[in-house]
Amino acid sequence: MSQPLLELFAREHPAFIHLPLGLVIALPVAMVLSFKSRHPAGWTRTAFFIALLAFAGGFLALSSGLLWGRQIALIPSGSFFPLVASEAQVVQKMLQLHEIAAAVGTALGALCVLLLWRAVRRDRGRDPDAAAPRRRFADRGVGAAAFSVCLLWLASWAFCGKLGGIMVFGNEATNKAAAAMDAARKADAEADLPIRALDYASLEPAQPAALRSKAHGNRWGRVWVTASGIDAYQAGKPLPSGAYAVLSTVEDAKGKPGQDPGPLYMRETLTDGTSAFLLYWPRVPEAARTETGGEDSVYWRSPSEKLAACAGCHATAGPASATPR
Ligand code: HEC
């Protein structure tokens, strides 16, 4: 398929699903009629074709849903499920359940088609208008097994559809989550600039003069620590919760501290005792871009994976080791 067609196929997911869903709703009706004594073989065959169409339609709906989820970045490309990192991600959690219900329904659909196919084969060669042979009730028409599987199929897809409706139109939980995210963004004063790191000069200097830091690109730098953490820092102890340290750097000029500002590093002890990191380097000189994966301006914050290297040396909240673990 061409790109625009593929995009249309993905975006029209909410429209696509109605065909298979409608067929699965019609299916039990045909099945019930097959239990009656008139035209059991005919109704069994009808049920088989309805189920086959519903299954095929479900498969299309499944793939368009997956494409759509990836297109709007709810599902990481290459994976089948959204990442649920915290309880607050209501939509992601709902999408996960929605997908599981869709897949379970489709598997039940496959089983149902198979059972119906067996019933159709059993009735082959029999006059469709002839009266039903005398059988146990459970073996009449499509059979009790196929009928029960069909009801479970319908239930899974109905649950799936209910969640889908909530995701598209919203409910109290999703609206609350969206409002909470808005509020968090507004409360995050550092969303665009690392205000506290840039204000490092208001902190306590940990050394009287610049030192060269091998661990941070061999740059010259000074460490600045909040008043709440300076004593612990000087004693080589972990910073208390809420305290943070900033390492301000300048580029090297032939073995001496140069004029150009280098990256700004920050580590903070969060209230749960873990560390958060930050790297702010608004203008990365061309020669140094190997350090930033080619980026010419960097503002990275935990939990960004780009800061994994920091945690390699700063594994505990205490003094860092000079080499990564
Ligand atoms: C190779 C190991 C290593 C890596 C990688 C590393 N650090 Fe450090 N870091 C250290 C060491 C050792 C110190 C102590 C001062 C020094 O020797 O430069 C330190 C000091 C610091 C300080 C000053 C406060 C303190 O704890 O001493 C900050 C802030 C800091 N690092 C942040 C970072 C950030 C942010 C990153 C990732 C972008 C990072 N570090 C990556 C080893 C490392």
Side-chain angles (χ1 to χ4, degrees):
M1 257 193 267
S2 66
Q3 196 58 33
L5 254 183
L6 209 66
E7 265 169 33
L8 186 77
F9 175 64
R11 256 183 299 121
E12 291 306 311
H13 175 69
F16 262 128
I17 51 171
H18 290 100
L19 176 79
L21 206 54
L23 287 166
V24 177
I25 292 170
L27 183 56
V29 180
M31 284 181 152
V32 164
L33 289 171
S34 81
F35 283 99
K36 307 257 288 181
S37 53
R38 292 185 58 197
H39 319 304
W43 280 116
T44 301
R45 206 173 314 154
T46 307
F48 169 70
F49 284 117
I50 293 177
L52 197 63
L53 265 181
F55 177 72
F59 213 78
L60 279 183
L62 224 62
S63 26
S64 75
L66 183 63
L67 271 178
W68 195 32
R70 286 182 182 172
Q71 231 169 55
I72 57 179
L74 258 180
I75 303 175
S77 66
S79 93
F80 289 94
F81 285 99
L83 268 178
V84 182
S86 84
E87 283 296 301
Q89 291 178 304
V90 176
V91 173
Q92 279 84 345
K93 276 199 306 191
M94 224 175 255
L95 179 57
Q96 229 172 24
L97 265 183
H98 172 77
E99 288 189 63
I100 292 171
V104 167
T106 308
L108 288 166
L111 180 63
C112 189
V113 169
L114 196 82
L115 290 170
L116 285 169
W117 170 237
R118 281 178 38 185
V120 167
R121 284 192 32 167
R122 179 201 61 197
D123 290 342
R124 207 157 35 180
R126 186 170 297 133
D127 175 6
D129 290 329
R134 294 198 67 79
R135 289 205 182 104
R136 281 194 309 142
F137 181 74
D139 293 332
R140 261 193 252 158
V142 296
F147 185 66
S148 334
V149 172
C150 163
L151 290 184
L152 290 176
W153 179 9
L154 177 56
S156 319
W157 276 8
F159 179 60
C160 174
K162 184 176 156 61
L163 290 177
I166 293 175
M167 283 189 291
V168 171
F169 301 111
N171 74 352
E172 210 179 324
T174 58
N175 294 345
K176 234 194 230 158
M181 242 163 73
D182 268 358
R185 207 172 300 131
K186 272 191 209 127
D188 184 359
E190 307 205 303
D192 302 319
L193 279 179
I195 310 287
R196 291 173 303 162
L198 282 168
D199 195 29
Y200 64 83
S202 70
L203 307 180
E204 304 294 323
Q207 305 103 5
L211 296 172
R212 203 195 257 275
S213 172
K214 276 217 175 71
H216 306 90
N218 211 19
R219 296 192 168 81
W220 295 88
R222 266 177 104 181
V223 176
W224 310 79
V225 186
T226 50
S228 63
I230 187 73
D231 291 343
Y233 185 81
Q234 300 290 23
K237 293 207 195 105
L239 298 185
S241 116
Y244 56 90
V246 177
L247 171 63
S248 63
T249 65
V250 289
E251 296 295 349
D252 181 88
K254 301 201 180 84
K256 286 211 271 309
Q259 302 290 326
D260 291 340
L264 209 54
Y265 303 83
M266 176 171 155
R267 55 187 295 224
E268 176 180 11
T269 304
L270 302 178
T271 43
D272 63 1
T274 60
S275 301
F277 301 100
L278 179 154
L279 180 66
Y280 181 63
W281 200 353
R283 189 184 158 278
V284 184
E286 194 125 18
R289 288 186 196 158
T290 46
E291 289 177 56
T292 59
E295 291 186 41
D296 57 4
S297 175
V298 160
Y299 177 29
W300 293 339
R301 290 197 288 164
S302 294
S304 165
E305 278 172 21
K306 294 176 175 165
L307 295 173
C310 316
C313 292
H314 295 280
T316 61
S321 64
T323 47
R325 275 177 306 165

